[in-house]
Amino acid sequence: MLKMTKIDYEKILKHAEEGLPNEACGLLGGTIEGDIKTVQHVYLLTNIDESNEHFSMDPREQLAAIKDMRANGWVQLGNWHSHPESPSRPSEEDKRLAYDSSIDYLILSLQDREHPVLNAFRIQGHTDVSKEEIQYVE
């Protein structure tokens, strides 16, 4: 299970909306206790591809985020990106690029702008996709 605050969800949503029509992306840093991952910080990164169909995180921003996680005693819990025009599920490219089966991959669909959908997934072996529960906490 992944725990995050509504404020963190709102940060992701705002960054994704500001990035339209392109995909937006970022990282999640936090703690793990047993099966519970708790987001401590949402990192908002730049999609250097400037595309509405795929993303690449800015390497400098990504490195700075990882350094910040380490400085705070956190681990990378996952990454997130938006799908401006498609559902909240991993695309074939998302699965192909999922190299770390220990993290969560969050996808925010803005297909229905009035009702955005955020889901978390575990991706193993580039093909096996399972949905993870997201619990919103204060």
Side-chain angles (χ1 to χ4, degrees), residues 1-4 28 31-39 77 102-104 106 120-122 130-137:
M1 173 189 325
L2 181 73
K3 289 185 175 184
M4 71 186 316
L28 303 171
T31 57
I32 301 174
E33 292 182 32
D35 291 336
I36 298 175
K37 300 173 187 171
T38 304
V39 175
L77 299 178
S102 70
I103 66 170
D104 288 334
L106 280 68
F121 302 92
R122 295 298 291 270
S130 58
K131 197 170 175 183
E132 290 283 299
E133 178 185 354
I134 299 175
Q135 182 181 70
Y136 295 100
V137 296

Side-chain angles (χ1 to χ4, degrees), residues 6 9 31 39 43 50 61 88 118 121 124:
K6 289 277 191 184
Y9 167 78
T31 57
V39 175
Y43 297 89
E50 297 182 0
E61 294 175 356
S88 176
L118 179 66
F121 302 92
Q124 310 237 351

Side-chain angles (χ1 to χ4, degrees), residues 15-16 19 23-28 41-48 55-66 69 76 78-80:
H15 189 64
E23 288 190 1
C25 57
L27 296 175
L28 303 171
H41 192 78
V42 172
Y43 297 89
L44 308 175
L45 305 183
T46 302
N47 175 4
I48 60 173
F55 73 97
S56 294
M57 295 178 189
D58 179 298
R60 287 188 187 117
E61 294 175 356
Q62 195 172 7
L63 181 59
I66 297 298
M69 287 179 214
Q76 181 181 345
N79 68 45
W80 66 269

Side-chain angles (χ1 to χ4, degrees), residues 45-111:
L45 305 183
T46 302
N47 175 4
I48 60 173
D49 290 348
E50 297 182 0
S51 169
N52 68 342
E53 294 181 347
H54 52 86
F55 73 97
S56 294
M57 295 178 189
D58 179 298
R60 287 188 187 117
E61 294 175 356
Q62 195 172 7
L63 181 59
I66 297 298
K67 285 182 176 180
D68 186 69
M69 287 179 214
R70 290 180 182 154
N72 284 288
W74 302 329
V75 296
Q76 181 181 345
L77 299 178
N79 68 45
W80 66 269
H81 72 279
S82 61
H83 281 183
E85 301 168 7
S86 59
S88 176
R89 64 173 179 247
S91 67
E92 290 305 312
E93 182 174 344
D94 293 336
K95 290 187 261 186
R96 183 175 58 79
L97 296 173
Y99 290 106
D100 189 345
S101 61
S102 70
I103 66 170
D104 288 334
Y105 294 88
L106 280 68
I107 300 173
L108 174 67
S109 172
L110 298 173
Q111 187 174 26

